[in-house]
Amino acid sequence: MHENRPGTARERLLAAALDLFAEHGVSGTSLQMIADRLGVTKAAVYHQFQSKDDIVLAVIHPALERLGPLADHAEAQRGQTARRETVLAGIVDLVVDERKVTTTLSFDPVVKRLVSAHPALRSLHRIRQLLGGSAPDPGSRVRIAVLSGGLIMAGADPAVKGLDDEDFRDHLLAAARRILKG
Amino acid sequence: MHENRPGTARERLLAAALDLFAEHGVSGTSLQMIADRLGVTKAAVYHQFQSKDDIVLAVIHPALERLGPLADHAEAQRGQTARRETVLAGIVDLVVDERKVTTTLSFDPVVKRLVSAHPALRSLHRIRQLLGGSAPDPGSRVRIAVLSGGLIMAGADPAVKGLDDEDFRDHLLAAARRILKG
DNA sequence: GTCTATAAGAAGATAGAC
DNA sequence: GTCTATCTTCTTATAGAC
């Protein structure tokens, strides 16, 4: 009896891969580990994806595909303040919705290599530009750097585990405004 | 002639390892890569260290050994404000001095596994306690999470690369106070 | 401190049957 | 969609000579 769990085989594979990436990192996760977690063999994994890089790209895709529209929407606002507010809200929504992906993979060396050759890299630069404006002074640059790292990694903190998405989003936005305002 | 570069063989090995960990992550770095960078064989690496874990522990040791004294010094202050200021300054000094280690390895799955079985874990908890006080409300918990991630990862940001240590430290401390101050 | 040589296993990936 | 079997390469680690 093939009693499959919910979702397609592909979706179940991506969920298992993300869990394992979160625990062991991308390089520390083998295709064998992914196959074992699903109760299948490596060959079944290769039926769904051509390579390990393809699996990683598919895992980060839901997050990456939101970057372009987010940048578009923010750039359409009138005035730098409105643009910054819009991009900040969008980024916070993204890191809350996709916190497992962003905390686990944003700083993973394998992911950084793949993203550096990905179209979404442009959107990332646009978002960065919107957040920082043209930030020539060192103080602003450091604040943006702290904000970026803080927003991305906050979701990984044990002290935040209990919060539901709505509370997390509100407090994250408040913390972000503290860093930027003034 | 064996024209050695500055430092002992052990020090050169640890510097090479840190460079490679920064680029490829711990799991993505093999002993062969470390040996190649030094122009020696794997066997020469095994003469200095018993295992790969030993190399990782030696790389993070300079950062870990500062945590205990930092916590001691902060806890010796009178008043919660003074304790928080002291721990904040100490943490900022640490992430500035050791930014390559902290940005590269703080969130590496291999390092997290090793630190979870390391005596310095206690110091980390003490520092966290000093930073957050007893922070029961969600807003404070999120702010501390953002601060932690932000302080650790800020040094990895390209926009910060040009700053010298003194400027980086001052601006980092200012950013941290923005997040915390009530 | 460094070398050669090698073990023993796991890695990513492919071929072809069912 | 999943399997067995296999290939090639790389991995950590050890033994022993110089």
Side-chain angles (χ1 to χ4, degrees), chain B residues 33-71:
Chain B
M33 290 162 74
I34 296 172
D36 287 349
R37 174 149 310 194
L38 296 168
V40 300
T41 62
K42 272 187 299 180
V45 172
Y46 273 106
H47 178 74
Q48 308 281 346
F49 296 94
Q50 291 193 338
S51 70
K52 190 182 177 182
D53 278 1
D54 279 0
I55 297 176
V56 177
L57 283 169
V59 168
I60 63 179
H61 180 259
L64 289 185
E65 72 173 353
R66 290 177 61 170
L67 296 176
L70 198 168

Side-chain angles (χ1 to χ4, degrees), chain A residues 23-25 27-28 107 109 128 138-139 141-143 145-146 149-150 153-154 157 159-160 163 168 171-172 178-181, chain B residues 23-25 27-28 107 109 128 138-139 141-143 145-146 149-150 153-154 157 159-160 163 168 171-172 178-181:
Chain A
E23 191 172 355
H24 306 284
S27 287
F107 295 112
R128 186 56 174 259
R141 300 208 309 267
V142 171
R143 288 207 305 273
V146 171
M153 294 313 297
D157 199 292
V160 166
L163 274 65
F168 184 36
H171 294 306
L172 210 48
R178 269 175 184 256
I179 301 178
L180 288 180
K181 99 157 105 193
Chain B
E23 192 171 355
H24 306 285
S27 286
F107 295 111
R128 187 55 175 259
R141 300 210 309 268
V142 171
R143 288 208 304 274
V146 171
M153 295 313 297
D157 198 293
V160 166
L163 274 67
F168 184 36
H171 294 304
L172 209 48
R178 270 176 184 256
I179 301 177
L180 288 180
K181 99 158 103 191

Side-chain angles (χ1 to χ4, degrees), chain A residues 65-94:
Chain A
E65 72 173 352
R66 290 176 62 169
L67 296 176
L70 198 167
D72 292 341
H73 182 224
E75 284 171 354
Q77 306 299 309
R78 288 187 304 176
Q80 195 174 10
T81 306
R83 282 197 289 273
R84 181 180 280 198
E85 264 301 307
T86 303
V87 76
L88 198 57
I91 284 286
V92 167
D93 282 346
L94 177 56

Side-chain angles (χ1 to χ4, degrees), chain A residues 96-130:
Chain A
V96 169
D97 293 345
E98 303 283 344
R99 48 176 137 168
K100 192 155 193 177
V101 173
T102 55
T103 59
T104 300
L105 297 173
S106 294
F107 295 112
D108 187 291
V110 173
V111 173
K112 285 200 279 188
R113 171 175 58 77
L114 291 172
V115 169
S116 75
H118 194 282
L121 184 63
R122 276 299 306 144
S123 308
L124 225 41
H125 288 151
R126 288 166 66 203
I127 288 169
R128 186 56 174 259
Q129 191 72 20
L130 285 159

